[in-house]
Amino acid sequence: MSDSESYPRRDRAAGGLAGLLAGAAGLGVAEGAAALLTGATAPVVAVGNLAVDAAPRPVKEWAIETFGSADKAVLVGGVVAAVALAVTLAGALGVSRPRTAVAVFLGLSAVAGAAVLTDRTAGASLPVRSVPVVALATTSVAALLLLLRTLRPAAPPTAERPAPPGFDRRAFLGAALAVGAVAATGGAVGRVYGGPLAAASRLGVRVPVPDVAAPAMTEGMTLDVPGITPYLTPNRAFYRVDTALRVPDLPVDTWRLRVHGLVERELDLSFEDLLSRQLLERRITLTCVSNPVGGEYVGNATWIGVPVRDLLREAGVRAGADAVRSTSADGLTIGTPLSALDDDDRDALLAVAMNGEPLPLEHGFPVRMVTPGLYGYVSATKWLVDLEVTRFADFEDYWTSRGYAEQAPIKTSSRIDVPRPFARVPAGQVTVAGVAWSQDRGVTEVEVRVDGSPWQSARLAEPDGVDTWRQWVWDWEATPGNHRIEVRAADATGYTQTSERAPIAPDGSTGWHNVTVTVQR
């Protein structure tokens, strides 16, 4: 008699539930253990990090383009869903084959263990890192066996009794409630202790008064156009593209920055050491290399920080260095041209404040790099903990090892904010407006055209500086029908945006942004 005939379908369903509960208990306890141990990584996060690092570049680009800032939630959700399916199937199989189910659980734990022990974001020793893995394996297997035991009959099927009696529902329910309580407790511990230190630390940080304030903004720097991107991007709306599935927990009292490498004097700085130096306030527009033509991975903010050049000069850069390799607390490495950081005319900062408040946790608290004129993947390290003065020939960073360019100046670009794509607008005068950027060169002109007609000059807001974007507006006498609106910008070097479309890799997209609208009678 086959197993499928011996055990009723409802027993299989209960087995699937047993597997799901056992898996949840294991993950919950592992999450709690990781939260209580400094430098340890929870299995789900570690597997997600492994997936991020192993994914081919086209997959990364597709995920960012498709899911935007929700890409991390989608990835973690996918990992959880895959594990849930595997443990559910294992539990259903375990009703008749418990050893096979245990083997599946141990196999999943082994995969999680490999990810945890090799995780680049972990800072603990291997014995400490292994604790969540051991917790995962022992808790999940013990819970599975406990639950499956309540589903198995006291005696095997016989000729007189071909089908086993139904399982003891009361015993199963009691065991399920106990296992569920373990899962809930572990998850609660993970939420309570899994990263509140930085959040609490941030509450105690006061925004420092800069020694050199940014020039006062004038009314003409902002255009009063409904729907246009605000000149200063609110922190909550500022784009976020990084590899951190979980924001690093860096309270200011334990944060340190090491400056070393090809220098005369190594520096080891605390947060207070950093704040004791000269602080600049600057408005700087940041752009991600993942920004497609017309994309939203660009934002403008007011930053307060220490000029990187001051630290480099204090350390004393040795001859032959041409790069600075920065490292995030999550293990990400970025290579930045030394010339961009040591330039008197380019205020690259170690930023501690953003738009009048301490850096938000997701934007690099307590310290991040902000470098005008370079795409973020070569210049804007968040959760900064290390600066190594070196040579490009001597290292390969996270993104260049994945096919991106070693040096990546931001390309002159422009975007139409209003009207939105496929909008329906009335005939007559229609406002067309948006933003344009060319960091460290400055936007000097924006032109707009409709249906391939001659280019028309848009009106620009007053310039704030070469490191910030400019808003622009153009009044269009719209006639009924479907129309295609295009925009292009020029910078202070005389360069005008090319119409040639290029993808985001290896060094940023190119092309004219366009929208199609319908003008109604």
Side-chain angles (χ1 to χ4, degrees):
M1 182 177 295
S2 68
D3 289 335
S4 60
E5 293 172 335
S6 299
Y7 293 93
R9 182 174 298 176
R10 64 188 179 189
D11 290 20
R12 296 288 182 187
L17 178 59
L20 187 61
L21 287 172
L27 289 176
V29 172
E31 179 85 14
L36 294 172
L37 297 170
T38 302
T41 308
V44 170
V45 174
V47 172
N49 287 335
L50 181 63
V52 168
D53 292 346
R57 190 184 76 194
V59 174
K60 295 178 187 288
E61 294 168 358
W62 171 84
I64 293 172
E65 182 177 355
T66 304
F67 302 112
S69 58
D71 60 339
K72 298 172 183 61
V74 171
L75 175 59
V76 172
V79 172
V80 172
V83 172
L85 177 61
V87 295
T88 298
L89 293 176
L93 181 62
V95 173
S96 58
R97 298 179 181 178
R99 291 182 180 178
T100 302
V102 169
V104 172
F105 269 64
L106 291 176
L108 292 172
S109 297
V111 172
V116 168
L117 296 179
T118 60
D119 185 59
R120 63 177 168 81
T121 70
S125 62
L126 285 179
V128 174
R129 293 191 201 186
S130 66
V131 172
V133 180
V134 174
L136 169 66
T138 56
T139 302
S140 60
V141 170
L144 177 68
L145 292 176
L146 173 66
L147 290 165
L148 290 180
R149 188 175 294 115
T150 67
L151 299 179
R152 294 183 63 78
T158 63
E160 293 78 16
R161 190 189 61 189
F167 63 87
D168 187 338
R169 292 179 177 81
R170 181 173 297 179
F172 178 77
L173 179 60
L177 289 174
V179 171
V182 171
T185 300
V189 170
R191 285 189 295 273
V192 171
Y193 294 98
L197 298 179
S201 176
R202 183 176 180 272
L203 293 176
V205 174
R206 293 185 178 181
V207 176
V209 177
D211 298 287
V212 182
M217 287 186 59
T218 65
E219 185 177 344
M221 291 178 184
T222 301
L223 298 179
D224 185 16
V225 177
I228 197 171
T229 299
Y231 182 68
L232 287 175
T233 309
N235 290 353
R236 66 180 181 279
F238 208 95
Y239 76 90
R240 179 191 170 195
V241 178
D242 54 55
T243 62
L245 295 183
R246 176 168 293 174
V247 174
D249 187 21
L250 289 174
V252 295
D253 57 347
T254 59
W255 177 86
R256 308 291 298 188
L257 174 67
R258 183 186 178 207
V259 182
H260 63 109
L262 297 177
V263 297
E264 299 296 336
R265 296 167 295 280
E266 288 196 10
L267 304 180
D268 183 17
L269 306 176
S270 68
F271 191 69
E272 290 302 321
D273 291 334
L274 200 65
L275 295 187
S276 68
R277 283 157 171 75
Q278 182 187 54
L279 295 169
L280 303 187
E281 180 184 50
R282 292 292 182 262
R283 288 184 289 275
I284 299 172
T285 299
L286 299 186
T287 311
C288 181
V289 74
S290 298
N291 198 43
V293 173
E296 298 182 351
Y297 297 145
V298 56
N300 188 44
T302 302
W303 311 90
I304 296 176
V306 174
V308 181
R309 60 175 174 266
D310 289 358
L311 295 183
L312 294 177
R313 292 170 186 177
E314 182 178 343
V317 176
R318 293 179 181 173
D322 64 3
V324 173
R325 184 176 188 253
S326 55
T327 303
S328 167
D330 69 350
L332 180 76
T333 57
I334 281 177
T336 308
L338 176 64
S339 59
L341 300 178
D342 197 32
D343 188 346
D344 286 323
D345 297 323
R346 190 192 315 222
D347 291 324
L349 302 176
L350 298 189
V352 298
M354 179 180 182
N355 286 335
E357 63 179 80
L359 286 175
L361 299 181
E362 64 273 16
H363 288 294
F365 179 85
V367 180
R368 68 168 294 170
M369 289 178 65
V370 173
T371 309
L374 299 177
Y375 286 117
Y377 84 95
V378 295
S379 71
T381 309
K382 300 175 184 176
W383 312 291
L384 180 69
V385 294
D386 189 276
L387 291 175
E388 180 188 4
V389 180
T390 181
R391 290 179 287 262
F392 277 116
D394 294 339
F395 76 97
E396 193 173 45
D397 63 44
Y398 185 90
W399 290 110
T400 56
S401 67
R402 287 157 174 80
Y404 284 84
E406 188 175 81
Q407 302 193 37
I410 293 172
K411 297 178 179 178
T412 301
S413 302
S414 54
R415 184 180 73 202
I416 300 169
D417 291 336
V418 289
R420 305 295 294 177
F422 309 112
R424 294 180 176 272
V425 298
Q429 191 173 84
V430 173
T431 298
V432 182
V435 290
W437 56 92
S438 183
Q439 292 93 307
D440 94 333
R441 300 177 300 280
V443 171
T444 56
E445 185 178 25
V446 171
E447 296 177 303
V448 187
R449 72 176 183 179
V450 179
D451 299 331
S453 61
W455 290 99
Q456 305 293 319
S457 293
R459 178 169 62 89
L460 291 172
E462 292 179 7
D464 186 8
V466 296
D467 295 330
T468 56
W469 59 15
R470 294 180 74 175
Q471 294 177 326
W472 58 267
V473 62
W474 179 66
D475 294 324
W476 170 39
E477 287 296 328
T479 58
N482 294 325
H483 298 282
R484 176 186 173 95
I485 309 171
E486 296 173 296
V487 65
R488 69 181 185 183
D491 62 37
T493 68
Y495 171 80
T496 299
Q497 271 186 267
T498 177
S499 62
E500 183 178 350
R501 286 272 176 164
I504 64 175
D507 60 357
S509 63
T510 63
W512 297 335
H513 185 220
N514 68 83
V515 298
T516 299
V517 300
T518 299
V519 179
Q520 300 173 317
R521 294 184 182 276

PDB file of all heavy atoms in Angstrom, residues 320-336:
ATOM      1  N   GLY A 320      52.112  58.786  -5.766  1.00  0.00           N
ATOM      2  CA  GLY A 320      51.688  57.575  -6.472  1.00  0.00           C
ATOM      3  C   GLY A 320      50.250  57.188  -6.235  1.00  0.00           C
ATOM      4  O   GLY A 320      49.680  56.399  -7.001  1.00  0.00           O
ATOM      5  N   ALA A 321      49.600  57.729  -5.180  1.00  0.00           N
ATOM      6  CA  ALA A 321      48.201  57.395  -4.913  1.00  0.00           C
ATOM      7  C   ALA A 321      47.303  58.098  -5.918  1.00  0.00           C
ATOM      8  O   ALA A 321      47.548  59.249  -6.289  1.00  0.00           O
ATOM      9  CB  ALA A 321      47.830  57.800  -3.494  1.00  0.00           C
ATOM     10  N   ASP A 322      46.265  57.411  -6.371  1.00  0.00           N
ATOM     11  CA  ASP A 322      45.316  58.040  -7.282  1.00  0.00           C
ATOM     12  C   ASP A 322      43.865  57.695  -6.955  1.00  0.00           C
ATOM     13  O   ASP A 322      42.954  58.060  -7.699  1.00  0.00           O
ATOM     14  CB  ASP A 322      45.612  57.661  -8.738  1.00  0.00           C
ATOM     15  CG  ASP A 322      45.445  56.165  -9.014  1.00  0.00           C
ATOM     16  OD1 ASP A 322      45.050  55.408  -8.090  1.00  0.00           O
ATOM     17  OD2 ASP A 322      45.716  55.738 -10.157  1.00  0.00           O
ATOM     18  N   ALA A 323      43.657  56.989  -5.845  1.00  0.00           N
ATOM     19  CA  ALA A 323      42.299  56.560  -5.507  1.00  0.00           C
ATOM     20  C   ALA A 323      42.128  56.486  -3.998  1.00  0.00           C
ATOM     21  O   ALA A 323      43.105  56.378  -3.242  1.00  0.00           O
ATOM     22  CB  ALA A 323      41.994  55.195  -6.123  1.00  0.00           C
ATOM     23  N   VAL A 324      40.865  56.543  -3.587  1.00  0.00           N
ATOM     24  CA  VAL A 324      40.501  56.287  -2.195  1.00  0.00           C
ATOM     25  C   VAL A 324      39.451  55.183  -2.189  1.00  0.00           C
ATOM     26  O   VAL A 324      38.406  55.302  -2.841  1.00  0.00           O
ATOM     27  CB  VAL A 324      39.952  57.543  -1.499  1.00  0.00           C
ATOM     28  CG1 VAL A 324      39.422  57.197  -0.117  1.00  0.00           C
ATOM     29  CG2 VAL A 324      41.032  58.611  -1.399  1.00  0.00           C
ATOM     30  N   ARG A 325      39.767  54.119  -1.490  1.00  0.00           N
ATOM     31  CA  ARG A 325      38.846  52.983  -1.378  1.00  0.00           C
ATOM     32  C   ARG A 325      38.076  53.132  -0.063  1.00  0.00           C
ATOM     33  O   ARG A 325      38.649  53.039   1.020  1.00  0.00           O
ATOM     34  CB  ARG A 325      39.614  51.672  -1.406  1.00  0.00           C
ATOM     35  CG  ARG A 325      38.760  50.409  -1.385  1.00  0.00           C
ATOM     36  CD  ARG A 325      39.681  49.206  -1.526  1.00  0.00           C
ATOM     37  NE  ARG A 325      38.964  47.960  -1.699  1.00  0.00           N
ATOM     38  CZ  ARG A 325      38.845  47.012  -0.777  1.00  0.00           C
ATOM     39  NH1 ARG A 325      39.408  47.206   0.424  1.00  0.00           N
ATOM     40  NH2 ARG A 325      38.200  45.901  -1.016  1.00  0.00           N
ATOM     41  N   SER A 326      36.787  53.377  -0.167  1.00  0.00           N
ATOM     42  CA  SER A 326      35.956  53.554   1.021  1.00  0.00           C
ATOM     43  C   SER A 326      35.162  52.286   1.285  1.00  0.00           C
ATOM     44  O   SER A 326      34.778  51.575   0.353  1.00  0.00           O
ATOM     45  CB  SER A 326      35.009  54.743   0.853  1.00  0.00           C
ATOM     46  OG  SER A 326      34.232  54.620  -0.323  1.00  0.00           O
ATOM     47  N   THR A 327      34.926  52.012   2.560  1.00  0.00           N
ATOM     48  CA  THR A 327      34.229  50.790   2.955  1.00  0.00           C
ATOM     49  C   THR A 327      33.062  51.134   3.860  1.00  0.00           C
ATOM     50  O   THR A 327      33.199  51.926   4.794  1.00  0.00           O
ATOM     51  CB  THR A 327      35.171  49.824   3.679  1.00  0.00           C
ATOM     52  OG1 THR A 327      36.287  49.535   2.837  1.00  0.00           O
ATOM     53  CG2 THR A 327      34.456  48.525   4.030  1.00  0.00           C
ATOM     54  N   SER A 328      31.938  50.523   3.577  1.00  0.00           N
ATOM     55  CA  SER A 328      30.740  50.688   4.385  1.00  0.00           C
ATOM     56  C   SER A 328      30.728  49.649   5.501  1.00  0.00           C
ATOM     57  O   SER A 328      31.404  48.621   5.425  1.00  0.00           O
ATOM     58  CB  SER A 328      29.505  50.517   3.504  1.00  0.00           C
ATOM     59  OG  SER A 328      28.335  50.380   4.270  1.00  0.00           O
ATOM     60  N   ALA A 329      29.925  49.917   6.525  1.00  0.00           N
ATOM     61  CA  ALA A 329      29.801  48.957   7.626  1.00  0.00           C
ATOM     62  C   ALA A 329      29.224  47.634   7.165  1.00  0.00           C
ATOM     63  O   ALA A 329      29.396  46.613   7.846  1.00  0.00           O
ATOM     64  CB  ALA A 329      28.929  49.542   8.731  1.00  0.00           C
ATOM     65  N   ASP A 330      28.534  47.608   6.023  1.00  0.00           N
ATOM     66  CA  ASP A 330      27.983  46.349   5.524  1.00  0.00           C
ATOM     67  C   ASP A 330      28.943  45.638   4.579  1.00  0.00           C
ATOM     68  O   ASP A 330      28.575  44.659   3.933  1.00  0.00           O
ATOM     69  CB  ASP A 330      26.631  46.575   4.847  1.00  0.00           C
ATOM     70  CG  ASP A 330      26.735  47.338   3.539  1.00  0.00           C
ATOM     71  OD1 ASP A 330      27.822  47.868   3.237  1.00  0.00           O
ATOM     72  OD2 ASP A 330      25.729  47.417   2.817  1.00  0.00           O
ATOM     73  N   GLY A 331      30.186  46.124   4.488  1.00  0.00           N
ATOM     74  CA  GLY A 331      31.200  45.445   3.694  1.00  0.00           C
ATOM     75  C   GLY A 331      31.316  45.907   2.266  1.00  0.00           C
ATOM     76  O   GLY A 331      32.213  45.467   1.542  1.00  0.00           O
ATOM     77  N   LEU A 332      30.447  46.799   1.818  1.00  0.00           N
ATOM     78  CA  LEU A 332      30.519  47.311   0.447  1.00  0.00           C
ATOM     79  C   LEU A 332      31.747  48.196   0.292  1.00  0.00           C
ATOM     80  O   LEU A 332      32.043  49.021   1.159  1.00  0.00           O
ATOM     81  CB  LEU A 332      29.260  48.118   0.131  1.00  0.00           C
ATOM     82  CG  LEU A 332      29.195  48.722  -1.274  1.00  0.00           C
ATOM     83  CD1 LEU A 332      28.868  47.642  -2.292  1.00  0.00           C
ATOM     84  CD2 LEU A 332      28.156  49.835  -1.335  1.00  0.00           C
ATOM     85  N   THR A 333      32.457  48.042  -0.824  1.00  0.00           N
ATOM     86  CA  THR A 333      33.626  48.870  -1.103  1.00  0.00           C
ATOM     87  C   THR A 333      33.385  49.706  -2.355  1.00  0.00           C
ATOM     88  O   THR A 333      32.755  49.252  -3.311  1.00  0.00           O
ATOM     89  CB  THR A 333      34.884  48.016  -1.297  1.00  0.00           C
ATOM     90  OG1 THR A 333      34.657  47.072  -2.362  1.00  0.00           O
ATOM     91  CG2 THR A 333      35.226  47.262  -0.022  1.00  0.00           C
ATOM     92  N   ILE A 334      33.918  50.934  -2.330  1.00  0.00           N
ATOM     93  CA  ILE A 334      33.757  51.867  -3.442  1.00  0.00           C
ATOM     94  C   ILE A 334      35.100  52.536  -3.695  1.00  0.00           C
ATOM     95  O   ILE A 334      35.811  52.895  -2.755  1.00  0.00           O
ATOM     96  CB  ILE A 334      32.669  52.918  -3.113  1.00  0.00           C
ATOM     97  CG1 ILE A 334      31.278  52.319  -3.318  1.00  0.00           C
ATOM     98  CG2 ILE A 334      32.835  54.180  -3.940  1.00  0.00           C
ATOM     99  CD1 ILE A 334      30.142  53.248  -2.960  1.00  0.00           C
ATOM    100  N   GLY A 335      35.441  52.722  -4.969  1.00  0.00           N
ATOM    101  CA  GLY A 335      36.674  53.400  -5.335  1.00  0.00           C
ATOM    102  C   GLY A 335      36.387  54.771  -5.923  1.00  0.00           C
ATOM    103  O   GLY A 335      35.614  54.891  -6.871  1.00  0.00           O
ATOM    104  N   THR A 336      37.020  55.803  -5.373  1.00  0.00           N
ATOM    105  CA  THR A 336      36.792  57.180  -5.811  1.00  0.00           C
ATOM    106  C   THR A 336      38.113  57.794  -6.256  1.00  0.00           C
ATOM    107  O   THR A 336      39.137  57.629  -5.575  1.00  0.00           O
ATOM    108  CB  THR A 336      36.214  58.032  -4.663  1.00  0.00           C
ATOM    109  OG1 THR A 336      35.072  57.381  -4.120  1.00  0.00           O
ATOM    110  CG2 THR A 336      35.823  59.429  -5.154  1.00  0.00           C
TER     111      THR A 336
END
